[in-house]
């Protein structure tokens, strides 16, 4: 890349970063996020862009919900087990028998999803039936009955969540797509070399023995079919006759000098480089994955990608390396490839239709998870994903995302940065 092009690219990237930063700062100055934030500890949290709530905590460091003499301490326990609710009841500050409490918790999530939990006694606490799935970001409704009295609490516990108006998201270049089926190509990277196509090599012989009178073509000359390569004086007729090029190509060998007598050896070797072979090395462990007819993407030295197809596999192995060769004929009219040049190639070895996948460009890190950011109106929230098959473009989703969810595919790092700068926590 020329220095001028590098300078223009750097200026463009700088302007882009400044524009995106300005858009986010402008919105932040104009809007209060309030409780539509993110981050939570045990079963409570704090809003994005505000001071963390100073709520009461119980002996187990959980959120303490109080109503008169009765109280519940809400915790999410996840040491050695999937996350689960463990609720500790109190009366007048003293622990009470969990069997005396009827309890239900409902979690309202983005996407109009609700999770309902019932509880049973285990030791000195009430244990929730079911897993509190990630993200731990929800509106919490707690309903309890103790000694004939009903109690109800509501609070918000958000993490990995932020709000950005549609117009500002568009200005920042935040793009989304709908999660659904995809075709994931399974590929393998092989190395190899460019070789001369042996079917396009011509070894020029004289018609009659004689003395070479003149030479017209030198090594590395490009000649056309019918061009005169040299003049020979026939030893029988003593007449001069031309030896002409039988094909278009490059002169790679000249095996004669003026004044020499021609013999039964080629005078010239001409190679037609308008088509060449790409010869890939296949090691024994990979031989079962490579077959005739597979599509190949060959990388050139200047960064271009040239498509091809495996047309033959060599029947013999290399004695030293035990590799076999896959042959891909390539059109080389533009002289992109040169014999002897090393190349890499990406071979399509399988295609998999998967029911749910996301684009790799949208995947970010959040805590210890790989996530995408789901879009729910103006709200963006993390979705922790479990992956299956992947390639450079797609990642199969095995869990953590509902089909049909709208998610961020481009500039998702802006969502991540907006969430992280508030210092969201996840304490249990």
């Amino acid at each position: 890349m020329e220095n001028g092009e590098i300078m223009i690219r750097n200026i463009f990237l700088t302007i882009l970063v400044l524009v995106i930063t300005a858009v986010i700062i402008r919105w932040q100055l104009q809007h209060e996020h309030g409780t539509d934030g993110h981050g939570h500890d045990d079963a409570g949290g704090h809003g994005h862009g505000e001071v963390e709530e100073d709520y009461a905590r119980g002996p187990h460091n959980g959120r303490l919900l109080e109503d008169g003499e009765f109280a519940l301490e809400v915790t999410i326990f996840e040491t050695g087990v999937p996350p689960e609710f463990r609720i500790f009841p109190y009366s007048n500050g003293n622990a009470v028998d969990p069997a005396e409490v009827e309890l239900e918790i409902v979690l309202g999530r983005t996407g109009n999803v609700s999770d309902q939990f019932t509880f049973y006694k285990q030791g000195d606490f009430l244990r929730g039936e079911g897993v509190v799935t990630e993200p731990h970001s929800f509106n919490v409704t707690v309903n309890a009955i103790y000694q004939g009295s009903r109690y109800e609490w509501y609070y918000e516990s958000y993490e990995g969540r932020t709000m950005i108006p549609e117009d500002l998201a568009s200005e920042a270049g935040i793009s989304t797509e709908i999660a659904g089926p995809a075709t994931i190509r399974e590929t393998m990277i092989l190395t190899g070399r460019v070789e001369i196509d042996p079917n396009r090599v011509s070894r020029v012989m004289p018609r009659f023995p004689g003395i070479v009178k003149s030479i017209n073509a030198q090594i590395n000359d490009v000649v056309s079919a019918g061009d005169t390569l040299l003049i020979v004086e026939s030893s029988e007729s003593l007449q001069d006759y031309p030896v002409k090029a039988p094909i278009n190509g490059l002169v790679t060998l000249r095996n004669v000098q003026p004044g020499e007598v021609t013999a039964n050896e080629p005078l010239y070797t001409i190679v037609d480089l308008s088509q060449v072979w790409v010869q890939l090395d296949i090691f024994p462990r990979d031989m079962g994955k490579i077959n005739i007819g597979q599509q190949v993407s060959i990388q050139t030295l200047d960064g271009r990608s040239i498509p091809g197809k495996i047309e033959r596999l060599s029947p013999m192995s290399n004695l030293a390396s035990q590799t076999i060769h896959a042959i891909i004929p390539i059109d080389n009219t533009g002289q992109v490839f040169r014999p002897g040049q090393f190349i890499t190639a990406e071979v399509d070895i399988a295609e998999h239709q998967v029911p749910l996948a996301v684009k790799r460009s949208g995947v970010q890190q959040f805590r210890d998870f790989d996530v995408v950011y789901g879009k729910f109106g103006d709200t963006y929230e993390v979705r922790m994903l479990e992956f299956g098959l992947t390639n450079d473009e797609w990642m199969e989703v095995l869990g953590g995302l509902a089909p049909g969810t709208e998610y961020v595919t481009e500039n998702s790092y802006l969502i991540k940065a907006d969430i992280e700068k508030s210092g969201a926590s996840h304490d249990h």
Side-chain angles (χ1 to χ4, degrees):
M1 184 179 292
E2 298 294 333
N3 290 337
E5 293 177 350
I6 294 174
M7 182 178 296
I8 292 172
R9 184 190 66 177
N10 290 339
I11 292 173
F12 173 77
L13 291 175
T14 301
I15 293 173
L16 179 61
V17 170
L18 290 174
V19 169
I20 291 173
T21 303
V23 167
I24 293 176
I25 291 175
R26 175 163 63 88
W27 172 67
Q28 291 170 344
L29 292 174
Q30 293 174 348
H31 295 77
E32 289 289 335
H33 285 254
T35 57
D36 289 324
H38 59 275
H40 76 284
D41 16 39
D42 300 314
H46 61 276
H48 171 63
E50 62 179 348
V51 178
E52 184 173 356
E53 292 181 74
D54 185 19
Y55 57 81
R57 292 181 178 270
H60 302 89
N61 201 38
R63 176 187 283 263
L64 191 63
L65 306 176
E66 299 177 286
D67 187 349
E69 297 177 352
F70 184 64
L72 294 176
E73 182 182 1
V74 181
T75 70
I76 298 178
F77 185 82
E78 51 187 358
T79 303
V81 297
E84 62 184 28
F85 277 119
R86 294 189 177 183
I87 313 299
F88 298 85
Y90 305 96
S91 179
N92 288 318
N94 299 314
V96 301
D97 185 357
E100 298 180 20
V101 180
E102 295 181 37
L103 181 64
E104 177 191 69
I105 292 181
V106 178
L107 305 180
R109 298 178 179 270
T110 49
N112 296 318
V113 175
S114 293
D115 297 337
Q116 185 172 342
F117 294 84
T118 57
F119 291 80
Y120 62 93
K121 175 183 176 180
Q122 180 171 321
D124 61 346
F125 60 86
L126 288 161
R127 182 177 183 181
E129 295 190 281
V131 175
V132 185
T133 57
E134 297 281 3
H136 293 172
S137 182
F138 25 63
N139 301 319
V140 184
T141 302
V142 180
N143 292 293
I145 300 176
Y146 175 64
Q147 294 184 344
S149 298
R150 294 182 178 273
Y151 301 88
E152 182 175 353
W153 294 271
Y154 172 87
Y155 60 92
E156 295 167 339
S157 176
Y158 299 145
E159 73 162 348
R161 179 188 289 198
T162 188
M163 291 184 66
I164 301 178
E166 187 69 36
D167 57 339
L168 294 182
S170 178
E171 276 188 62
I174 296 171
S175 301
T176 62
E177 293 188 17
I178 303 299
T183 300
I184 296 182
R185 293 168 46 246
E186 186 178 355
T187 62
M188 175 180 293
I189 303 298
L190 298 177
T191 59
R193 295 161 304 286
V194 178
E195 303 285 355
I196 294 169
D197 183 343
N199 301 310
R200 293 173 176 266
V201 178
S202 179
R203 293 172 178 81
V204 182
M205 304 289 291
R207 286 181 297 162
F208 311 105
I211 297 174
V212 175
K213 302 297 291 292
S214 63
I215 299 289
N216 294 341
Q218 310 296 331
I219 291 177
N220 292 331
D221 283 354
V222 177
V223 298
S224 300
D227 287 353
T228 297
L229 302 176
L230 73 166
I231 302 296
V232 177
E233 180 186 89
S234 172
S235 299
E236 295 183 0
S237 66
L238 301 182
Q239 298 293 315
D240 292 350
Y241 71 90
V243 177
K244 298 186 177 183
I247 63 171
N248 300 331
L250 177 73
V251 176
T252 60
L253 175 68
R254 195 193 82 187
N255 195 30
V256 67
Q257 298 290 344
E260 291 183 347
V261 176
T262 62
N264 293 323
E265 294 182 0
L267 304 178
Y268 283 90
T269 299
I270 301 174
V271 176
D272 178 6
L273 295 179
S274 63
Q275 179 172 296
V276 293
W277 279 5
V278 169
Q279 185 171 282
L280 303 177
D281 297 321
I282 307 171
F283 290 93
R285 65 178 179 274
D286 297 324
M287 288 179 184
K289 300 177 183 178
I290 306 299
N291 298 291
I292 292 174
Q294 287 174 328
Q295 297 297 315
V296 177
S297 177
I298 300 163
Q299 309 303 315
T300 66
L301 291 178
D302 59 0
R304 286 185 291 169
S305 181
I306 305 294
K309 183 173 69 173
I310 296 176
E311 289 201 357
R312 66 187 68 184
L313 298 173
S314 61
M316 301 179 66
S317 295
N318 180 284
L319 182 61
S321 66
Q322 291 298 293
T323 58
I324 66 169
H325 295 142
I327 307 299
I328 302 102
I330 294 294
D331 180 83
N332 195 37
T333 304
Q335 303 294 302
V336 174
F337 295 100
R338 290 175 168 79
Q341 163 185 337
F342 286 95
I343 54 90
T344 60
E346 186 177 65
V347 183
D348 291 345
I349 60 176
E351 280 193 355
H352 304 275
Q353 304 295 325
V354 299
L356 184 61
V358 294
K359 287 192 171 178
R360 183 180 286 273
S361 60
V363 176
Q364 295 286 345
Q365 284 286 138
F366 180 82
R367 301 202 329 258
D368 297 329
F369 298 96
D370 291 314
V371 305
V372 294
Y373 294 99
K375 182 178 184 296
F376 308 91
D378 289 345
T379 299
Y380 297 82
E381 188 176 78
V382 292
R383 287 296 182 266
M384 287 74 168
L385 304 183
E386 179 185 352
F387 293 121
L389 295 171
T390 64
N391 65 10
D392 289 342
E393 182 180 10
W394 292 101
M395 305 183 76
E396 180 188 11
V397 177
L398 301 179
L401 187 71
T405 300
E406 186 176 2
Y407 72 101
V408 178
T409 56
E410 297 295 335
N411 290 326
S412 57
Y413 70 92
L414 295 175
I415 308 294
K416 177 181 179 180
D418 195 37
I419 289 172
E420 286 183 344
K421 72 176 175 5
S422 70
S425 63
H426 180 93
D427 300 329
H428 293 319

